[in-house]
Amino acid sequence: MGAGALTCLMFVVVALNAIAAAAGLALFAVAIWVAVDGYKLYPISGVSGKDDIFAAAWIAIFTGFAFFLTCIFGIFAALKRSRALMMVYLIIMFIIFLFECASAITAATNRDYLVGNSNLVKKQMLQYYGQDSIQGKQITQTWNRVMEQVECCGADSPEDWILYNSTFKQIYPTYNWPLSCCKRLSSFELQDPAGCKVGLTSTLFTKGCFNYIESVLSRYTWAVSWYGFSVLMLVFFTLVIAMIYFMQLE
Amino acid sequence: MLAVLFVLGMLCPLNFAEIEIRLLDPKIDGVLTSKFPNSFLLSLPNCSLYGDSSAELLYTELPSNENKTESFIVPSCPVSLPGFLLKNLKNGTTYNMQYKIAGVNDTSANLTTTTTNVIDYQQIDSGLPARSGAMVVITVILSVAMVALLIGLIISFLFSG
């Protein structure tokens, strides 16, 4: 390959590495957003032991930052036209690529377990809402907050509380559903306690909370797995060009 | 003939008027449901006709024929709660219900319904429902990319220089 073509290839490698470094840094930031869990829905995945979406986010934090550092090293190695440095760069990038693949696949698969349909969330709610254990308290707090903020009740509808038995029903047999399902005034008092207890639809939230929970967990998953996937495709393309450049170096 | 019928009709005392009894309908009465595992939500006797009178709900549990009575005061118009909640029933049992206004001997027809059954929450199948398309695409494409990179690395290390 002529010297001019080699220089051109070198610039392509440097440019792609610069873009990949920026993409890696953005992946680092997005994964931190997921790990911080601004919507505070971690107990719903943590209590059932299926919190791999958050584990994948932690992996993505490390691989995103590692991509950033290694791509800067790659720019340096390409400018120096050194075979040894390019070989080191290729091997390190490949290892980080494997870890990031694991993160993307884990997040996508785990989302299917958690929110593929409303069964797991509903069973967890019926089992742990109102229970006195640590998990029970976490689930109760999470569900109360979701029901009050999103204005919903139950997983699919308030009828979940009537169709199935639950820990809540055993502790409070006179209540059909939790008081967080009732509409409140701006002073936080219940609008109509007697009406809500009986099921008047004007005093009770009638939509289910599953749609909201599913949309939040999906948003976390798309951040880690789809954005991770797109960074990986960019890195794959960069590595293929880097390998061609490596083969042309003497 | 018509005049005779009219006169007879006017002489017919209100004593034989029937009180309406039915389960509340989610579409008409704005309630979530009227059949619970341990209670029923029934329509109240008309508030304009029977407001402030004391009434009784006689209900019979069907297999054992146990008779019970609930006494209450019919609320006057306008009503705050559109129904009467009959509590402390058993799940999956059929009940016969009838209203009776004290003193005037007005009764309603018999209403026969069954309370709902509860399903144990442990029976809910929370296994993997199905794999989404996104998961399959990501897994397949990334696996192919990993293998392609590995082969490319091997080729570039072996066949260079």
Side-chain angles (χ1 to χ4, degrees), chain B:
Chain B
M1 184 59 184
L2 212 57
V4 172
L5 282 173
F6 263 124
V7 168
L8 276 177
M10 291 199 28
L11 286 176
C12 206
L14 274 167
N15 279 356
F16 302 139
E18 263 204 356
I19 309 175
E20 191 198 5
I21 184 169
R22 61 181 173 88
L23 285 175
L24 290 185
D25 187 347
K27 295 188 197 69
I28 308 174
D29 303 294
V31 283
L32 185 70
T33 178
S34 50
K35 277 203 237 179
F36 297 92
N38 298 93
S39 41
F40 281 127
L41 199 51
L42 301 165
S43 58
L44 284 166
N46 197 325
C47 63
S48 46
L49 289 174
Y50 304 108
D52 282 331
S53 0
S54 80
E56 279 179 349
L57 175 66
L58 302 115
Y59 59 105
T60 317
E61 188 181 317
L62 267 188
S64 58
N65 276 326
E66 226 179 292
N67 277 332
K68 290 197 204 144
T69 315
E70 276 273 329
S71 304
F72 63 101
I73 308 263
V74 180
S76 48
C77 300
V79 237
S80 57
L81 270 184
F84 177 73
L85 186 69
L86 177 61
K87 296 184 278 209
N88 298 325
L89 305 175
K90 298 187 193 146
N91 340 357
T93 326
T94 314
Y95 287 89
N96 247 345
M97 287 161 288
Q98 192 182 37
Y99 275 131
K100 192 169 169 199
I101 306 282
V104 201
N105 274 340
D106 277 352
T107 53
S108 67
N110 257 327
L111 176 66
T112 311
T113 37
T114 321
T115 47
T116 56
N117 262 319
V118 272
I119 309 174
D120 188 19
Y121 65 80
Q122 307 277 15
Q123 311 265 25
I124 303 180
D125 176 20
S126 55
L128 178 70
R131 300 190 187 282
S132 65
M135 175 259 162
V136 172
V137 164
I138 290 179
T139 310
V140 166
I141 295 184
L142 286 184
S143 309
V144 167
M146 275 192 274
V147 168
L149 264 190
L150 184 63
I151 295 177
L153 263 184
I154 293 173
I155 292 178
S156 63
F157 288 166
L158 287 179
F159 291 106
S160 58

Side-chain angles (χ1 to χ4, degrees), chain A residues 73-88:
Chain A
F73 171 72
I75 293 176
F76 172 69
L79 286 173
K80 264 208 121 173
R81 301 184 193 230
S82 152
R83 286 203 84 213
L85 290 183
M86 278 304 284
M87 191 186 273
V88 169

Side-chain angles (χ1 to χ4, degrees), chain A residues 122 125-126 153-165 169 176-177 181 199 201 204-208, chain B residues 26 31-37 116-119:
Chain A
K122 191 189 298 193
M125 173 188 84
L126 294 168
C153 182
D156 291 324
S157 75
E159 303 203 21
D160 291 338
W161 293 106
I162 303 173
L163 282 172
Y164 297 93
N165 72 346
K169 249 330 200 7
N176 277 320
W177 34 71
C181 287
T201 48
L204 173 74
F205 301 131
T206 47
K207 73 176 180 194
Chain B
V31 283
L32 185 70
T33 178
S34 50
K35 277 203 237 179
F36 297 92
T116 56
N117 262 319
V118 272
I119 309 174

Side-chain angles (χ1 to χ4, degrees), chain A residues 13-30:
Chain A
V13 171
V14 168
L16 281 176
N17 269 311
I19 298 174
L25 202 58
L27 177 64
F28 169 70
V30 164

